[in-house]
Short mmCIF file of all heavy atoms in Angstrom, two decimals:
data_model
loop_
_atom_site.label_atom_id
_atom_site.label_comp_id
_atom_site.label_asym_id
_atom_site.label_seq_id
_atom_site.Cartn_x
_atom_site.Cartn_y
_atom_site.Cartn_z
N MET A 28 -87.59 -19.18 -11.45
CA MET A 28 -88.30 -18.68 -12.62
C MET A 28 -87.49 -18.94 -13.88
O MET A 28 -86.26 -18.84 -13.90
CB MET A 28 -88.57 -17.18 -12.46
CG MET A 28 -89.25 -16.52 -13.65
SD MET A 28 -89.78 -14.81 -13.26
CE MET A 28 -88.22 -14.08 -12.73
N MET A 29 -88.17 -19.29 -14.96
CA MET A 29 -87.58 -19.38 -16.28
C MET A 29 -88.40 -18.46 -17.17
O MET A 29 -89.60 -18.66 -17.34
CB MET A 29 -87.59 -20.82 -16.81
CG MET A 29 -87.00 -20.98 -18.20
SD MET A 29 -86.95 -22.72 -18.77
CE MET A 29 -85.41 -23.26 -18.03
N ILE A 30 -87.76 -17.43 -17.70
CA ILE A 30 -88.51 -16.47 -18.51
C ILE A 30 -88.32 -16.78 -19.99
O ILE A 30 -87.39 -17.48 -20.38
CB ILE A 30 -88.07 -15.01 -18.21
CG1 ILE A 30 -86.66 -14.75 -18.74
CG2 ILE A 30 -88.17 -14.71 -16.74
CD1 ILE A 30 -86.25 -13.30 -18.67
N GLN A 31 -89.23 -16.24 -20.79
CA GLN A 31 -89.12 -16.31 -22.25
C GLN A 31 -89.02 -14.89 -22.77
O GLN A 31 -89.93 -14.09 -22.60
CB GLN A 31 -90.32 -17.06 -22.83
CG GLN A 31 -90.26 -18.55 -22.53
CD GLN A 31 -91.51 -19.29 -22.94
OE1 GLN A 31 -92.50 -19.30 -22.22
NE2 GLN A 31 -91.47 -19.95 -24.10
N LEU A 32 -87.88 -14.61 -23.37
CA LEU A 32 -87.57 -13.27 -23.85
C LEU A 32 -86.72 -13.40 -25.10
O LEU A 32 -85.78 -14.20 -25.15
CB LEU A 32 -86.82 -12.49 -22.77
CG LEU A 32 -86.43 -11.05 -23.10
CD1 LEU A 32 -87.66 -10.17 -23.24
CD2 LEU A 32 -85.51 -10.48 -22.02
N ASP A 33 -87.04 -12.59 -26.11
CA ASP A 33 -86.32 -12.65 -27.38
C ASP A 33 -86.32 -14.07 -27.95
O ASP A 33 -85.33 -14.55 -28.50
CB ASP A 33 -84.89 -12.14 -27.23
CG ASP A 33 -84.85 -10.66 -26.90
OD1 ASP A 33 -85.64 -9.90 -27.48
OD2 ASP A 33 -84.03 -10.28 -26.04
N ARG A 34 -87.43 -14.76 -27.74
CA ARG A 34 -87.66 -16.10 -28.30
C ARG A 34 -86.64 -17.11 -27.79
O ARG A 34 -86.14 -17.96 -28.53
CB ARG A 34 -87.67 -16.05 -29.82
CG ARG A 34 -88.71 -15.07 -30.36
CD ARG A 34 -88.67 -14.94 -31.86
NE ARG A 34 -89.15 -16.15 -32.51
CZ ARG A 34 -89.23 -16.28 -33.83
NH1 ARG A 34 -88.88 -15.27 -34.62
NH2 ARG A 34 -89.68 -17.40 -34.37
N ARG A 35 -86.33 -17.03 -26.51
CA ARG A 35 -85.44 -17.99 -25.88
C ARG A 35 -85.80 -18.14 -24.41
O ARG A 35 -86.41 -17.25 -23.81
CB ARG A 35 -83.98 -17.57 -26.02
CG ARG A 35 -83.69 -16.18 -25.47
CD ARG A 35 -82.25 -15.77 -25.74
NE ARG A 35 -82.02 -14.38 -25.31
CZ ARG A 35 -80.90 -13.96 -24.76
NH1 ARG A 35 -79.91 -14.80 -24.55
NH2 ARG A 35 -80.76 -12.70 -24.41
N PHE A 36 -85.42 -19.28 -23.84
CA PHE A 36 -85.59 -19.50 -22.41
C PHE A 36 -84.38 -18.94 -21.67
O PHE A 36 -83.23 -19.19 -22.05
CB PHE A 36 -85.71 -21.00 -22.11
CG PHE A 36 -87.01 -21.61 -22.55
CD1 PHE A 36 -87.06 -22.42 -23.68
CD2 PHE A 36 -88.18 -21.39 -21.84
CE1 PHE A 36 -88.24 -23.00 -24.10
CE2 PHE A 36 -89.38 -21.97 -22.25
CZ PHE A 36 -89.41 -22.77 -23.39
N ILE A 37 -84.64 -18.21 -20.60
CA ILE A 37 -83.58 -17.62 -19.77
C ILE A 37 -83.89 -17.92 -18.30
O ILE A 37 -84.93 -17.52 -17.81
CB ILE A 37 -83.48 -16.10 -19.98
CG1 ILE A 37 -83.24 -15.76 -21.46
CG2 ILE A 37 -82.37 -15.53 -19.12
CD1 ILE A 37 -83.27 -14.27 -21.75
N PRO A 38 -83.00 -18.64 -17.60
CA PRO A 38 -81.77 -19.26 -18.12
C PRO A 38 -82.10 -20.48 -18.98
O PRO A 38 -83.15 -21.09 -18.81
CB PRO A 38 -81.03 -19.67 -16.86
CG PRO A 38 -82.11 -19.94 -15.87
CD PRO A 38 -83.18 -18.93 -16.17
N ARG A 39 -81.19 -20.84 -19.86
CA ARG A 39 -81.42 -22.01 -20.71
C ARG A 39 -81.41 -23.29 -19.87
O ARG A 39 -82.14 -24.23 -20.14
CB ARG A 39 -80.34 -22.08 -21.78
CG ARG A 39 -80.49 -23.31 -22.71
CD ARG A 39 -79.50 -23.23 -23.85
NE ARG A 39 -79.66 -24.37 -24.74
CZ ARG A 39 -78.90 -25.45 -24.73
NH1 ARG A 39 -77.90 -25.54 -23.85
NH2 ARG A 39 -79.10 -26.43 -25.57
N VAL A 40 -80.55 -23.33 -18.85
CA VAL A 40 -80.49 -24.47 -17.93
C VAL A 40 -80.84 -23.98 -16.54
O VAL A 40 -80.19 -23.06 -16.01
CB VAL A 40 -79.08 -25.10 -17.94
CG1 VAL A 40 -78.99 -26.20 -16.89
CG2 VAL A 40 -78.75 -25.65 -19.33
N LEU A 41 -81.85 -24.58 -15.94
CA LEU A 41 -82.33 -24.16 -14.62
C LEU A 41 -82.29 -25.34 -13.65
O LEU A 41 -83.08 -26.27 -13.78
CB LEU A 41 -83.76 -23.63 -14.72
CG LEU A 41 -84.41 -23.21 -13.40
CD1 LEU A 41 -83.70 -21.99 -12.81
CD2 LEU A 41 -85.89 -22.91 -13.61
N PRO A 42 -81.36 -25.35 -12.68
CA PRO A 42 -81.35 -26.40 -11.67
C PRO A 42 -82.31 -26.05 -10.53
O PRO A 42 -82.40 -24.89 -10.11
CB PRO A 42 -79.90 -26.42 -11.19
CG PRO A 42 -79.41 -25.03 -11.41
CD PRO A 42 -80.19 -24.47 -12.58
N ILE A 43 -83.04 -27.05 -10.04
CA ILE A 43 -83.95 -26.87 -8.92
C ILE A 43 -83.91 -28.14 -8.06
O ILE A 43 -83.46 -29.18 -8.50
CB ILE A 43 -85.40 -26.61 -9.37
CG1 ILE A 43 -85.94 -27.80 -10.15
CG2 ILE A 43 -85.50 -25.32 -10.19
CD1 ILE A 43 -87.42 -27.75 -10.43
N ALA A 44 -84.41 -28.03 -6.84
CA ALA A 44 -84.55 -29.21 -5.98
C ALA A 44 -85.91 -29.85 -6.21
O ALA A 44 -86.89 -29.17 -6.52
CB ALA A 44 -84.40 -28.80 -4.52
N ALA A 45 -85.97 -31.17 -6.07
CA ALA A 45 -87.23 -31.88 -6.21
C ALA A 45 -88.27 -31.30 -5.25
O ALA A 45 -87.95 -30.98 -4.10
CB ALA A 45 -87.03 -33.37 -5.95
N GLY A 46 -89.49 -31.16 -5.73
CA GLY A 46 -90.55 -30.55 -4.94
C GLY A 46 -90.71 -29.06 -5.16
O GLY A 46 -91.55 -28.42 -4.53
N THR A 47 -89.91 -28.50 -6.06
CA THR A 47 -89.94 -27.06 -6.34
C THR A 47 -90.84 -26.75 -7.52
O THR A 47 -90.91 -27.52 -8.48
CB THR A 47 -88.51 -26.56 -6.65
OG1 THR A 47 -87.67 -26.83 -5.54
CG2 THR A 47 -88.50 -25.06 -6.94
N GLY A 48 -91.51 -25.62 -7.46
CA GLY A 48 -92.30 -25.14 -8.58
C GLY A 48 -91.50 -24.14 -9.40
O GLY A 48 -90.71 -23.37 -8.86
N VAL A 49 -91.67 -24.17 -10.71
CA VAL A 49 -91.01 -23.23 -11.61
C VAL A 49 -92.08 -22.36 -12.26
O VAL A 49 -93.09 -22.86 -12.76
CB VAL A 49 -90.20 -23.95 -12.70
CG1 VAL A 49 -89.66 -22.97 -13.73
CG2 VAL A 49 -89.05 -24.73 -12.07
N ARG A 50 -91.83 -21.06 -12.26
CA ARG A 50 -92.74 -20.12 -12.92
C ARG A 50 -92.19 -19.79 -14.31
O ARG A 50 -91.09 -19.26 -14.44
CB ARG A 50 -92.89 -18.86 -12.08
CG ARG A 50 -93.88 -17.84 -12.66
CD ARG A 50 -94.39 -16.90 -11.58
NE ARG A 50 -93.30 -16.26 -10.86
CZ ARG A 50 -92.84 -15.04 -11.14
NH1 ARG A 50 -93.36 -14.34 -12.14
NH2 ARG A 50 -91.86 -14.51 -10.43
N PHE A 51 -92.95 -20.13 -15.34
CA PHE A 51 -92.59 -19.79 -16.72
C PHE A 51 -93.29 -18.48 -17.07
O PHE A 51 -94.52 -18.44 -17.15
CB PHE A 51 -93.02 -20.91 -17.67
CG PHE A 51 -92.29 -22.20 -17.46
CD1 PHE A 51 -92.77 -23.15 -16.58
CD2 PHE A 51 -91.09 -22.45 -18.11
CE1 PHE A 51 -92.09 -24.34 -16.37
CE2 PHE A 51 -90.40 -23.64 -17.92
CZ PHE A 51 -90.91 -24.58 -17.03
N GLU A 52 -92.50 -17.44 -17.24
CA GLU A 52 -93.06 -16.10 -17.46
C GLU A 52 -92.73 -15.60 -18.86
O GLU A 52 -91.57 -15.61 -19.29
CB GLU A 52 -92.53 -15.11 -16.43
CG GLU A 52 -93.13 -13.73 -16.58
CD GLU A 52 -92.93 -12.85 -15.37
OE1 GLU A 52 -92.54 -13.37 -14.31
OE2 GLU A 52 -93.15 -11.63 -15.48
N ASN A 53 -93.75 -15.15 -19.58
CA ASN A 53 -93.59 -14.62 -20.93
C ASN A 53 -93.30 -13.12 -20.83
O ASN A 53 -94.19 -12.33 -20.53
CB ASN A 53 -94.86 -14.87 -21.75
CG ASN A 53 -94.73 -14.35 -23.17
OD1 ASN A 53 -93.68 -13.86 -23.58
ND2 ASN A 53 -95.81 -14.44 -23.93
N MET A 54 -92.06 -12.74 -21.12
CA MET A 54 -91.67 -11.33 -21.09
C MET A 54 -91.45 -10.79 -22.48
O MET A 54 -90.86 -9.72 -22.67
CB MET A 54 -90.43 -11.15 -20.22
CG MET A 54 -90.62 -11.63 -18.80
SD MET A 54 -89.27 -11.21 -17.67
CE MET A 54 -89.60 -9.46 -17.43
N ASP A 55 -91.93 -11.52 -23.50
CA ASP A 55 -91.88 -11.05 -24.87
C ASP A 55 -93.17 -10.31 -25.22
O ASP A 55 -94.08 -10.20 -24.40
CB ASP A 55 -91.69 -12.24 -25.82
CG ASP A 55 -90.28 -12.30 -26.39
OD1 ASP A 55 -89.66 -11.23 -26.53
OD2 ASP A 55 -89.80 -13.41 -26.69
N ARG A 56 -93.26 -9.88 -26.47
CA ARG A 56 -94.44 -9.15 -26.92
C ARG A 56 -95.38 -10.03 -27.73
O ARG A 56 -96.35 -9.55 -28.30
CB ARG A 56 -94.02 -7.93 -27.74
CG ARG A 56 -93.21 -6.92 -26.92
CD ARG A 56 -92.67 -5.80 -27.80
NE ARG A 56 -91.85 -4.87 -27.03
CZ ARG A 56 -91.14 -3.88 -27.55
NH1 ARG A 56 -91.13 -3.71 -28.87
NH2 ARG A 56 -90.43 -3.08 -26.78
N THR A 57 -95.05 -11.30 -27.80
CA THR A 57 -95.89 -12.26 -28.52
C THR A 57 -96.23 -13.42 -27.59
O THR A 57 -95.66 -13.58 -26.52
CB THR A 57 -95.15 -12.81 -29.76
OG1 THR A 57 -93.96 -13.51 -29.32
CG2 THR A 57 -94.75 -11.69 -30.69
N TYR A 58 -97.18 -14.24 -28.01
CA TYR A 58 -97.55 -15.42 -27.24
C TYR A 58 -96.38 -16.41 -27.20
O TYR A 58 -95.58 -16.50 -28.12
CB TYR A 58 -98.77 -16.11 -27.86
CG TYR A 58 -100.09 -15.52 -27.41
CD1 TYR A 58 -100.54 -14.32 -27.93
CD2 TYR A 58 -100.87 -16.18 -26.47
CE1 TYR A 58 -101.74 -13.77 -27.53
CE2 TYR A 58 -102.10 -15.64 -26.06
CZ TYR A 58 -102.53 -14.43 -26.58
OH TYR A 58 -103.72 -13.90 -26.18
N HIS A 59 -96.31 -17.15 -26.09
CA HIS A 59 -95.32 -18.22 -25.95
C HIS A 59 -95.99 -19.44 -25.34
O HIS A 59 -97.12 -19.39 -24.87
CB HIS A 59 -94.14 -17.79 -25.08
CG HIS A 59 -93.06 -17.08 -25.81
ND1 HIS A 59 -92.28 -17.70 -26.77
CD2 HIS A 59 -92.62 -15.80 -25.75
CE1 HIS A 59 -91.40 -16.83 -27.25
NE2 HIS A 59 -91.59 -15.66 -26.65
N ASN A 60 -95.24 -20.53 -25.35
CA ASN A 60 -95.70 -21.78 -24.76
C ASN A 60 -94.49 -22.46 -24.14
O ASN A 60 -93.36 -22.22 -24.54
CB ASN A 60 -96.32 -22.68 -25.84
CG ASN A 60 -96.47 -24.12 -25.39
OD1 ASN A 60 -95.66 -24.98 -25.73
ND2 ASN A 60 -97.50 -24.38 -24.61
N ALA A 61 -94.72 -23.28 -23.13
CA ALA A 61 -93.66 -24.13 -22.57
C ALA A 61 -94.26 -25.51 -22.36
O ALA A 61 -95.33 -25.64 -21.76
CB ALA A 61 -93.13 -23.55 -21.27
N PHE A 62 -93.58 -26.53 -22.87
CA PHE A 62 -94.08 -27.89 -22.69
C PHE A 62 -92.92 -28.86 -22.65
O PHE A 62 -91.79 -28.54 -23.06
CB PHE A 62 -95.04 -28.28 -23.81
CG PHE A 62 -94.38 -28.65 -25.11
CD1 PHE A 62 -94.08 -29.97 -25.42
CD2 PHE A 62 -94.05 -27.67 -26.05
CE1 PHE A 62 -93.46 -30.32 -26.62
CE2 PHE A 62 -93.43 -28.00 -27.25
CZ PHE A 62 -93.14 -29.33 -27.54
N SER A 63 -93.18 -30.07 -22.16
CA SER A 63 -92.17 -31.11 -22.15
C SER A 63 -92.83 -32.47 -22.28
O SER A 63 -93.92 -32.70 -21.74
CB SER A 63 -91.35 -31.09 -20.85
OG SER A 63 -90.39 -32.14 -20.85
N LEU A 64 -92.15 -33.36 -22.99
CA LEU A 64 -92.58 -34.75 -23.11
C LEU A 64 -91.63 -35.67 -22.34
O LEU A 64 -91.69 -36.89 -22.48
CB LEU A 64 -92.63 -35.17 -24.58
CG LEU A 64 -93.60 -34.37 -25.46
CD1 LEU A 64 -93.49 -34.83 -26.92
CD2 LEU A 64 -95.03 -34.52 -24.97
N SER A 65 -90.78 -35.10 -21.50
CA SER A 65 -89.81 -35.88 -20.74
C SER A 65 -90.50 -36.78 -19.73
O SER A 65 -91.51 -36.40 -19.13
CB SER A 65 -88.84 -34.95 -20.00
OG SER A 65 -88.12 -34.13 -20.90
N THR A 66 -89.96 -37.97 -19.54
CA THR A 66 -90.56 -38.91 -18.58
C THR A 66 -90.47 -38.40 -17.15
O THR A 66 -91.31 -38.74 -16.32
CB THR A 66 -89.87 -40.28 -18.68
OG1 THR A 66 -88.46 -40.12 -18.47
CG2 THR A 66 -90.10 -40.91 -20.04
N THR A 67 -89.47 -37.56 -16.87
CA THR A 67 -89.34 -37.00 -15.52
C THR A 67 -90.53 -36.11 -15.19
O THR A 67 -91.04 -36.14 -14.06
CB THR A 67 -88.04 -36.20 -15.40
OG1 THR A 67 -86.93 -37.07 -15.63
CG2 THR A 67 -87.90 -35.56 -14.03
N ARG A 68 -90.99 -35.32 -16.16
CA ARG A 68 -92.14 -34.45 -15.93
C ARG A 68 -92.72 -34.01 -17.27
O ARG A 68 -92.13 -33.21 -18.00
CB ARG A 68 -91.73 -33.21 -15.12
CG ARG A 68 -92.87 -32.24 -14.81
CD ARG A 68 -93.90 -32.89 -13.90
NE ARG A 68 -94.81 -31.93 -13.32
CZ ARG A 68 -96.03 -31.64 -13.83
NH1 ARG A 68 -96.43 -32.23 -14.95
NH2 ARG A 68 -96.82 -30.78 -13.23
N LYS A 69 -93.89 -34.54 -17.60
CA LYS A 69 -94.61 -34.10 -18.78
C LYS A 69 -95.55 -32.96 -18.39
O LYS A 69 -96.24 -33.05 -17.38
CB LYS A 69 -95.40 -35.25 -19.39
CG LYS A 69 -94.55 -36.39 -19.93
CD LYS A 69 -95.42 -37.49 -20.53
CE LYS A 69 -94.57 -38.63 -21.05
NZ LYS A 69 -95.39 -39.72 -21.64
N PHE A 70 -95.56 -31.92 -19.21
CA PHE A 70 -96.46 -30.80 -18.92
C PHE A 70 -96.64 -29.96 -20.17
O PHE A 70 -95.88 -30.05 -21.13
CB PHE A 70 -95.94 -29.93 -17.77
CG PHE A 70 -94.70 -29.13 -18.12
CD1 PHE A 70 -94.80 -27.84 -18.63
CD2 PHE A 70 -93.44 -29.68 -17.94
CE1 PHE A 70 -93.68 -27.11 -18.95
CE2 PHE A 70 -92.30 -28.95 -18.26
CZ PHE A 70 -92.42 -27.67 -18.76
N ASP A 71 -97.65 -29.12 -20.15
CA ASP A 71 -97.91 -28.16 -21.22
C ASP A 71 -98.68 -27.00 -20.59
O ASP A 71 -99.80 -27.18 -20.10
CB ASP A 71 -98.72 -28.78 -22.35
CG ASP A 71 -98.80 -27.90 -23.59
OD1 ASP A 71 -98.74 -26.66 -23.43
OD2 ASP A 71 -98.92 -28.44 -24.70
N VAL A 72 -98.09 -25.81 -20.57
CA VAL A 72 -98.73 -24.66 -19.92
C VAL A 72 -99.73 -23.97 -20.84
O VAL A 72 -100.40 -23.03 -20.42
CB VAL A 72 -97.68 -23.64 -19.44
CG1 VAL A 72 -96.70 -24.30 -18.47
CG2 VAL A 72 -96.93 -23.00 -20.61
N GLY A 73 -99.81 -24.42 -22.10
CA GLY A 73 -100.71 -23.76 -23.05
C GLY A 73 -100.10 -22.48 -23.59
O GLY A 73 -98.92 -22.18 -23.37
#
């Protein structure tokens, strides 16, 4: 899991094994978004 709290990603660096899913959880009181344009994995959770 990578959480968003106090307007930051925690942990900032998250190692995982290939084939793993990551849960991006908003634990702040405002809306958040997580996205990437990296060639390894492009995504946008909205």
Side-chain angles (χ1 to χ4, degrees):
M28 177 170 56
M29 179 177 275
I30 70 171
Q31 288 173 278
L32 181 66
D33 294 319
R34 303 176 71 179
R35 56 185 175 143
F36 288 105
I37 303 174
R39 179 173 181 260
V40 175
L41 177 66
I43 62 170
T47 301
V49 173
R50 182 158 55 96
F51 294 90
E52 183 164 347
N53 181 4
M54 302 189 75
D55 254 331
R56 297 173 182 173
T57 61
Y58 275 76
H59 274 294
N60 165 260
F62 78 94
S63 179
L64 299 177
S65 300
T66 56
T67 299
R68 181 65 166 96
K69 295 181 181 180
F70 70 91
D71 190 331
V72 302

